[in-house]
Amino acid sequence: MRRDGGEPEDADGRPAATARRRLRWRWPTWRRDLAVLGLFLLAGIWVTGQIWLNPARRVAPLYSSDPAQVQFFLAHSVRVVLHGEFPFFTDRLNYPDGVNLMANTAILGLGIPMVPVTLLFGPAVSFVVLVTLGLAGTAYAWYYVLSRHVVRLPLAAAVGGWFLGFSPAMLSHANWHPNIISQFLLPFIVWRVVTLSRSRRPVRDGLVLALLITYQAFINEEILLFTALACLVFLLAVLVQEPGRWRGAWRPLAIGIAVCAVFASALLAYPLHIQFTGPQAYHGLSDAVQNYGNDLAAFVNPGSATLGGNPRGNANLAPNYSEENAFFGWGLVLISVAIVVWLRRERLVRALAATGLIFAVLSLGEQVSYWHRGAVWGPWELLVRAPLLDAVVPTRFGLITTVTVGVLLAIAVDRAWTIPAADRRAVRAVTATALALALVPILPIPLVETSRPAVPHFITSGQWKQYVAGDQTLVPIPVPAMGHTNGMRWAAAADLGFKIPGGYFLAPRNGNTGDPGRFGGRPSGVGELLDDVASTGRTVKPGDRQRRRALDELRYWHAAILVLPVTEHNAEALRATVEQFAGPAQRQSDVWVWDVRPLTARAA
């Protein structure tokens, strides 16, 4: 076109010369991608900054057991690579019963690539690296897939990727669960499943999908199950709207899924055999975890780790601070509804809305409540006993809703920036304003951290080696369990050079393979006794029966030494109590040590 007496115009009404200048200065795709990745990495470092100050001594103020467990698993990955240890089971935790690592998300898919970092800097540094890369990597992976396959505008893909990497739910898990926030494979799995329906090479694409699924299984199986369920619901939602599409889609889809199932089953058959039928396998989670659900108000409050979050106000809306799997805030809830209404004619938008809504309802759990009041029946009760679903934490279905919201945001920005020129300015202004109102309150803030005790010099210097043989254990005081996981950090810092009893993990109740799961191993009399002393600070004088049981447990554990840090909380009460059944302690470096080999060897 040409203005009357003026210069030519492009299709959008801009002067052609201006359009050429913009094209000339447009960044190449690789530079744009690199800039987006850099932005996401900076955001990840910003969020984890408090941990980076001192990775070995900084931890979340609540629920410190999960980071200790992850560090133990990272050290296990080192032993798998360097010493050829069996990857799917270990007796270096919960000795002598051991722990089924396939049933405990041992993050081999993350731990093995991190072996060089763990060797050079220790598992505490590897932990914070995983958290940082988990957030940034997930954001970038979604940006990449969205920009190549879903939207045309890079800005739209960046907005969607930002939300999907740094959503309130992701920030909630960041302090505790790097396996859950490491979702960088999910966009590629989802896209491979969707494109199978029109694939010209379904066998090849099925093999690629199987490899992605296998890798994801060694990061987090629950997230993989969620992905499969979400893809199923999404594809059904598309087919309901376009039943005619099934005629051309079923053949490549069936071939691809069949190839994927056969190949992935072959790769995962043995690990899954260990998980479900091997030693210390369990079936289903404890009732307490199965009842974890979102409160309805959790969807309209900002997350605790966000700019507008109120941790105290959120206290009863989620099972705990590490499970805030919704928390979008009113602004984002309203803009999501507005996007669906605005773009309701698009089949993709309708399918995303249906998928997000279904899993939002399931995330409410067996009892639906609002502000922790008025509990009524929830549809999850119909599914909670189903195979595989009996090991699901229902509140985490909110993670699927989070994905649908993120993709809807990307689509909305794309449509607003690419509509006809006559309406573009007003729609862009409205969209930008709405996004600001919705996203600013849930912008990420640095994770809150607190100090934790250093690993004793007695451990890091190797002084323990003169006491503990390969078939014996070092028993930290208090005995390792949920809430007492410093001993697991000691073991990780010592490259799992010694075995410990107890710990924090999932195992069958009472140690009987096949029973429902619970946190921790067999009930321990001495563990419960010392837990009470650690909590109350009151010395306990065990009776004869308690002494005999304590000695029996030490023999069962093949205990060589008991170790109590001098700076442990209520250390004097703990020392006085342990001396009732293990004799006087000796001060070694910064710990109290009981050499119980004479007591445990007599029963050998």
Side-chain angles (χ1 to χ4, degrees):
M1 292 178 60
R2 178 182 297 273
R3 296 179 184 175
D4 294 339
E7 63 178 307
E9 295 178 340
D10 67 4
D12 290 330
R14 294 188 300 259
T18 302
R20 285 195 297 270
R21 284 195 298 271
R22 291 188 178 186
L23 287 172
R24 189 181 304 125
W25 289 101
R26 182 175 294 175
W27 273 13
T29 300
W30 68 269
R31 286 189 179 179
R32 183 183 66 224
D33 292 347
L34 193 61
V36 172
L37 177 60
L39 172 65
F40 291 156
L41 283 172
L42 288 175
I45 294 170
W46 158 259
V47 169
T48 57
Q50 291 296 312
I51 314 178
W52 278 109
L53 293 176
N54 190 342
R57 297 290 304 277
R58 303 292 289 175
V59 70
L62 298 172
Y63 322 120
S64 60
S65 297
D66 287 288
Q69 183 192 64
V70 173
Q71 290 178 35
F72 187 97
F73 291 159
L74 288 169
H76 170 71
S77 292
V78 172
R79 296 189 69 89
V80 170
V81 173
L82 296 188
H83 304 288
E85 289 200 356
F86 188 59
F88 309 135
F89 184 88
T90 184
D91 66 354
R92 294 188 175 275
L93 184 64
N94 192 38
Y95 188 84
D97 295 336
V99 176
N100 189 319
L101 296 176
M102 277 302 298
N104 273 272
T105 314
I107 61 169
L108 292 167
L110 301 176
I112 289 178
M114 290 297 295
V115 163
V117 178
T118 306
L119 279 172
L120 290 173
F121 304 106
V125 172
S126 287
F127 175 85
V128 66
V129 170
L130 282 179
V131 174
T132 305
L133 294 182
L135 294 170
T138 299
Y140 181 78
W142 278 110
Y143 157 79
Y144 184 91
V145 170
L146 290 171
S147 64
R148 267 64 174 182
H149 304 295
V150 181
V151 297
R152 291 172 291 175
L153 188 71
L155 174 63
V159 170
W162 169 271
F163 176 77
L164 291 168
F166 298 93
S167 66
M170 293 284 281
L171 297 172
S172 168
H173 286 283
N175 244 335
W176 296 277
H177 305 136
N179 55 309
I180 290 179
I181 65 171
S182 296
Q183 298 179 17
F184 47 83
L185 291 180
L186 301 193
F188 301 100
I189 293 175
V190 170
W191 185 246
R192 282 291 174 180
V193 171
V194 171
T195 55
L196 272 179
S197 63
R198 58 178 185 269
S199 174
R200 295 181 179 179
R201 296 181 177 179
V203 174
R204 182 206 63 180
D205 291 345
L207 290 174
V208 173
L209 180 60
L211 291 174
L212 291 170
I213 286 173
T214 301
Y215 193 1
Q216 178 60 40
F218 291 109
I219 297 176
N220 187 283
E221 291 178 351
E222 186 179 32
I223 296 297
L224 179 59
L225 176 61
F226 287 170
T227 305
L229 293 173
C231 288
L232 175 62
V233 172
F234 176 79
L235 289 175
L236 289 175
V238 172
L239 289 174
V240 166
Q241 300 176 75
E242 289 186 279
R245 176 175 287 194
W246 180 248
R247 288 192 297 272
W250 74 268
R251 187 180 298 274
L253 185 61
I255 294 173
I257 294 297
V259 170
C260 173
V262 171
F263 193 47
S265 296
L267 293 173
L268 293 172
Y270 183 64
L272 293 179
H273 166 72
I274 297 296
Q275 176 177 344
F276 292 108
T277 65
Q280 295 297 296
Y282 60 87
H283 297 155
L285 299 177
S286 66
D287 293 338
V289 177
Q290 286 180 334
N291 290 333
Y292 277 7
N294 287 327
D295 191 284
L296 278 170
F299 289 92
V300 297
N301 269 27
S304 297
T306 64
L307 187 63
N310 180 1
R312 291 186 179 181
N314 294 342
N316 293 321
L317 303 182
N320 54 61
Y321 291 122
S322 70
E323 294 288 354
E324 292 187 355
N325 294 297
F327 292 86
F328 302 124
W330 271 115
L332 186 54
V333 170
L334 293 176
I335 195 176
S336 299
V337 173
I339 291 170
V340 174
V341 173
W342 173 36
L343 303 175
R344 62 188 179 278
R345 293 185 176 86
E346 297 191 26
R347 287 184 293 268
L348 174 60
V349 170
R350 295 196 297 266
L352 286 169
T355 304
L357 181 61
I358 287 171
F359 287 103
V361 172
L362 291 178
S363 77
L364 300 174
E366 297 179 68
Q367 298 292 320
V368 180
S369 61
Y370 182 68
W371 286 105
H372 210 55
R373 296 189 299 271
V376 297
W377 176 87
W380 176 242
E381 189 173 345
L382 298 174
L383 304 173
V384 67
R385 305 298 175 191
L388 295 181
L389 296 183
D390 61 355
V392 164
V393 182
T395 175
R396 294 178 182 174
F397 282 125
L399 294 168
I400 300 177
T401 304
T402 296
V403 170
T404 62
V405 170
V407 178
L408 286 172
L409 288 175
I411 293 172
V413 174
D414 186 67
R415 302 301 185 267
W417 257 252
T418 57
I419 61 173
D423 303 323
R424 182 178 298 164
R425 181 173 297 178
V427 174
R428 283 182 178 181
V430 171
T431 302
T433 302
L435 283 174
L437 292 174
L439 297 182
V440 168
I442 57 172
L443 285 175
I445 60 175
L447 299 173
V448 177
E449 310 295 336
T450 189
S451 296
R452 61 181 172 184
V455 176
H457 179 70
F458 177 80
I459 300 296
T460 57
S461 65
Q463 296 178 48
W464 58 270
K465 295 179 181 178
Q466 61 184 303
Y467 298 99
V468 185
D471 61 344
Q472 296 174 318
T473 62
L474 182 154
V475 183
I477 303 298
V479 177
M482 180 187 289
H484 297 297
T485 52
N486 284 334
M488 295 175 66
R489 291 196 299 117
W490 301 357
D495 302 321
L496 305 191
F498 54 81
K499 302 173 181 178
I500 59 175
Y504 174 63
F505 50 88
L506 281 164
R509 293 176 186 173
N510 302 313
N512 299 318
T513 296
D515 284 354
R518 55 160 283 171
F519 290 105
R522 300 173 186 268
S524 165
V526 67
E528 293 173 1
L529 173 70
L530 296 178
D531 176 62
D532 182 62
V533 175
S535 301
T536 64
R538 294 193 296 267
T539 301
V540 174
K541 185 176 181 180
D544 290 341
R545 185 175 180 181
Q546 285 179 303
R547 289 194 191 94
R548 287 195 300 271
R549 181 177 181 183
L551 292 176
D552 286 343
E553 289 182 354
L554 294 180
R555 291 169 185 141
Y556 180 73
W557 295 335
H558 297 187
I561 55 174
L562 281 58
V563 179
L564 170 66
V566 172
T567 57
E568 178 73 31
H569 183 61
N570 291 326
E572 284 305 307
L574 286 165
R575 181 169 68 89
T577 300
V578 173
E579 287 181 341
Q580 301 290 324
F581 58 85
Q586 294 183 343
R587 175 74 179 265
Q588 295 282 339
S589 184
D590 51 352
V591 299
W592 293 105
V593 176
W594 288 264
D595 186 348
V596 295
R597 288 175 293 180
L599 297 175
T600 57
R602 281 199 291 268

